[in-house]
Amino acid sequence: MRQSRGTAAGRGLAHLMADFDHRLPPTPRPPARRADRDPFGSTVGRHGRAGTAAGWAAVPAPLAVYRMTTEQVGGVWPFIAGNGLSSSGALLGIDYLSGGAFAADPIGWTLDGVAGVTNPNMIFFGAPGRGKSGTVKMFALRQMAYGYRTLVLGDVKDEYAPLCGALGVEPHAVGHGLPARINPLDFGPLGNDWTSLSRAEAQRRAAMVFARWLLLVKGLVGSQSVSFGPTAETAVGQVLRDVTGYSDGADRLREVTIPQLWHALREPGDMLVDACRYADRQHFLDDTRAVRDALGALVTGHLAGLFDAPTTVQVDWRAPIQSLSLSRLEPLGDQAVGVALTCLNSWGRAMTQLAEPGDLRIVIRDECWKQMRLGTDAVKSLDADLRLSRNDGCIQVVVAHKPSDMLTVGDADSQAVAIARDLLHLCATKVLLGQDEQIGDELSGLLGLSPMAERIVTDWAAAGRGRALWMVGSHVAKVQTVRTSVDLALTDTNDAITHQADRP
Ligand SMILES: Nc1ncnc2c1ncn2[C@@H]1O[C@H](COP(=O)(O)OP(=O)(O)O)[C@@H](O)[C@H]1O
Ligand SMILES: [Mg+2]
């Protein structure tokens, strides 16, 4: 038997058990009671830290480290969005979703393959006075630093004149009593060096020119609510080929004007009647009367003397901006402005058709709805331009009030409405400035906006000028465009009202 080690207080249970070779497990020690630890242990004294540029902080910031996959991050911090766009291009303002700067570079986005950006076109929607034109001007101005040149195709309210003035360029004004003439049936650069072209190239260019002209004549005739069927198309096509000398295999095509086309349709020769397979001259005249009358409006009507003579405007492609002002036509009504825009459109296309690679341009169509209202063919013409932009390095900028402007061109299910809907998809970048609730619903329906995006448009963007929801492909940004002191004078279109208000 073991000698027990007694104590004054007697033997404990563990000792007694040990006598029988049992080992009791050791009694766990009660955890030492920790004083409630101060999470900010080393506080800084009342006088802060000493040292150069040490500043003063009551506590050192506790740094917490978490590890997770990027997929989980979205769940843990749902309110932070990354800025997925590169920072190249025109620096426009602040993106309130990411907190970072927002820069617009539609061609860069297209080339980088930003999700959903398949073309560099942009469409701006917004209620009047929300800052659409201002944003477009700042975009164009800031892109100039990257070598972009701007063409304003139809400045209806002379809004771009201050910008042109600041860049030392005089806008070309079109209107009665002014020397500027624009021939919508201009060859543009396509007519250059015709004699030295190979036969195949000459034919390719001729096809482009005739196709553009037919589209234009269709648009002009359609704007008078006259239908332009295949028979009329054959007749106009034949006349254009005859008058230019293409039918005779001329080396150099002659320039045509609308009055020449009109005269040729009024006095058809036997060859023409035959070529169009009419029974006789009268049959030809009866069949093309509506087309002649519609064209006659441009020759003898209220637009006479504007688009019916060879072009006198010299577009200087080296200049940073060129603008065609239509403000003098405003008193003639929306339709006159619309017809003028259609002519300018066709002419602008001729001018941009043979762009050199790397020649970067921005083509601005402000107040575009005036043209869209003219009918299906006007819509088709815009559609054709937007489709081309990927090939010719142009950023086409379309400015409108609301999507239904584009949809008023025909009955709800008509072809025009279908094309107008497509137009929205031909502009990969959509910039939605402030709108009323009602139009917000319309936008959501057409563009598939999420409820949050719709609220940005109807609440946040409507609360300040220059605010917009930018939909760049599938990327969304909530941008406040920031005006610098340089931009203030260039974007202020409220001059007329403020000056009125200043009067005693
Ligand atoms: N980014 C902006 N920030 C603040 N004000 C702006 C901004 N853009 C335009 N504005 C002001 O809003 C007014 C209307 O702008 P404007 O571009 O003509 O609108 P819209 O083309 O939509 O009718 C201008 O007078 C201008 O001073
Ligand atoms: Mg405007």
Side-chain angles (χ1 to χ4, degrees):
M1 215 167 152
R2 276 187 205 170
Q3 193 66 49
S4 59
R5 283 167 278 138
T7 63
R11 299 170 62 196
L13 183 64
H15 282 155
L16 289 172
M17 296 296 283
D19 288 346
F20 299 93
D21 267 355
H22 284 291
R23 298 262 174 275
L24 285 184
T27 330
R29 280 183 188 212
R33 224 181 89 70
R34 274 198 268 163
D36 279 338
R37 271 218 285 138
D38 179 359
F40 307 114
S42 58
T43 44
V44 176
R46 277 205 297 146
H47 299 292
R49 292 171 196 278
T52 318
W56 190 91
V59 287
L63 184 67
V65 178
Y66 302 93
R67 277 185 185 205
M68 62 194 74
T69 63
T70 44
E71 204 175 338
Q72 292 159 344
V73 169
V76 178
W77 286 288
F79 303 115
I80 297 179
N83 183 6
L85 296 176
S86 63
S87 54
S88 59
L91 184 62
L92 281 183
I94 301 163
D95 175 1
Y96 279 82
L97 285 182
S98 70
F102 179 81
D105 181 15
I107 291 200
W109 293 333
T110 315
L111 296 179
D112 293 349
V114 170
V117 181
T118 49
N119 59 61
N121 302 328
M122 307 167 89
I123 192 159
F124 284 71
F125 288 119
R130 292 265 60 112
K132 297 182 293 294
S133 309
T135 309
V136 170
K137 279 180 241 178
M138 287 186 259
F139 168 69
L141 182 63
R142 293 174 195 184
Q143 283 288 70
M144 277 171 205
Y146 298 93
Y148 283 81
R149 297 194 174 85
T150 303
L151 174 66
V152 183
L153 267 189
D155 181 3
V156 182
K157 295 197 237 155
D158 262 354
E159 287 179 82
Y160 290 81
L163 179 60
C164 295
L167 294 163
V169 176
E170 184 71 26
H172 306 287
V174 180
H176 290 293
L178 295 172
R181 293 279 176 286
I182 285 168
N183 180 12
L185 301 178
D186 206 320
F187 283 108
L190 286 176
N192 294 350
D193 345 304
W194 198 273
T195 40
S196 57
L197 294 179
S198 69
R199 201 175 150 64
E201 175 63 11
Q203 275 183 340
R204 187 180 79 90
R205 287 200 190 180
M208 276 159 85
V209 171
F210 287 121
R212 177 171 65 80
W213 287 345
L214 268 186
L215 204 60
L216 168 78
V217 175
K218 258 188 186 181
L220 294 178
V221 171
S223 71
Q224 321 267 326
S225 310
V226 172
S227 78
F228 189 84
T231 13
E233 190 169 329
T234 317
V236 170
Q238 188 61 40
V239 169
L240 287 173
R241 282 191 290 274
D242 287 351
V243 183
T244 48
Y246 185 77
S247 317
D248 316 329
D251 273 350
R252 174 141 193 98
L253 297 192
R254 280 189 296 274
E255 183 167 352
V256 208
T257 56
I258 300 237
Q260 282 172 334
L261 174 63
W262 183 59
H263 281 298
L265 287 171
R266 267 166 30 124
E267 281 148 29
D270 290 340
M271 298 256 284
L272 177 62
V273 174
D274 224 32
C276 300
R277 295 195 299 283
Y278 280 104
D280 56 25
R281 199 163 170 271
Q282 195 54 45
H283 186 193
F284 179 96
L285 287 175
D286 290 345
D287 228 35
T288 56
R289 178 182 309 275
V291 175
R292 280 199 319 274
D293 289 350
L295 287 176
L298 282 180
V299 181
T300 57
H302 52 327
L303 287 179
L306 298 176
F307 298 101
D308 51 7
T311 305
T312 56
V313 170
Q314 270 294 329
V315 169
D316 175 8
W317 279 121
R318 300 289 103 201
I321 190 167
Q322 292 281 284
S323 167
L324 295 148
S325 159
L326 293 181
S327 64
R328 316 287 202 293
L329 299 184
E330 191 94 82
L332 301 183
D334 277 355
Q335 185 170 24
V337 175
V339 169
L341 283 173
T342 309
C343 291
L344 283 191
N345 222 1
S346 169
W347 186 73
R349 184 160 347 131
M351 295 287 131
T352 49
Q353 228 157 13
L354 276 191
E356 303 275 316
D359 192 356
L360 301 168
R361 303 222 178 98
I362 301 173
V363 178
I364 299 174
R365 296 186 167 84
D366 208 331
E367 309 276 340
C368 181
W369 53 273
K370 292 201 183 196
Q371 188 194 341
M372 306 292 292
R373 277 221 223 134
L374 293 180
T376 318
D377 294 302
V379 182
K380 277 191 193 160
S381 152
L382 181 63
D383 180 274
D385 282 342
L386 295 181
R387 279 174 204 278
L388 276 176
S389 72
R390 232 191 114 82
N391 305 340
D392 56 18
C394 261
I395 301 177
Q396 301 276 350
V397 179
V398 178
V399 182
H401 171 191
K402 53 186 193 297
S404 53
D405 287 342
M406 310 272 175
L407 307 180
T408 48
V409 289
D411 305 331
D413 291 323
S414 71
Q415 186 198 11
V417 173
I419 302 173
R421 254 179 228 280
D422 271 358
L423 271 183
L424 298 179
H425 301 296
L426 286 175
C427 299
T429 303
K430 297 165 190 87
V431 186
L432 311 178
L433 290 100
Q435 298 276 15
D436 304 339
E437 296 277 341
Q438 206 183 353
I439 298 170
D441 290 344
E442 184 186 316
L443 279 169
S444 301
L446 271 171
L447 302 175
L449 295 187
S450 65
M452 188 187 103
E454 187 184 334
R455 266 203 307 283
I456 292 180
V457 175
T458 54
D459 295 355
W460 181 78
R465 289 177 178 148
R467 290 182 176 186
L469 180 78
W470 284 64
M471 300 174 69
V472 179
S474 49
H475 182 92
V476 173
K478 179 179 167 187
V479 180
Q480 164 79 63
T481 312
V482 177
R483 292 199 292 175
T484 64
S485 53
V486 174
D487 303 312
L488 286 180
L490 306 182
T491 55
D492 216 354
T493 48
N494 286 346
D495 275 1
I497 310 173
T498 26
H499 285 183
Q500 286 286 333
D502 285 347
R503 285 194 188 151

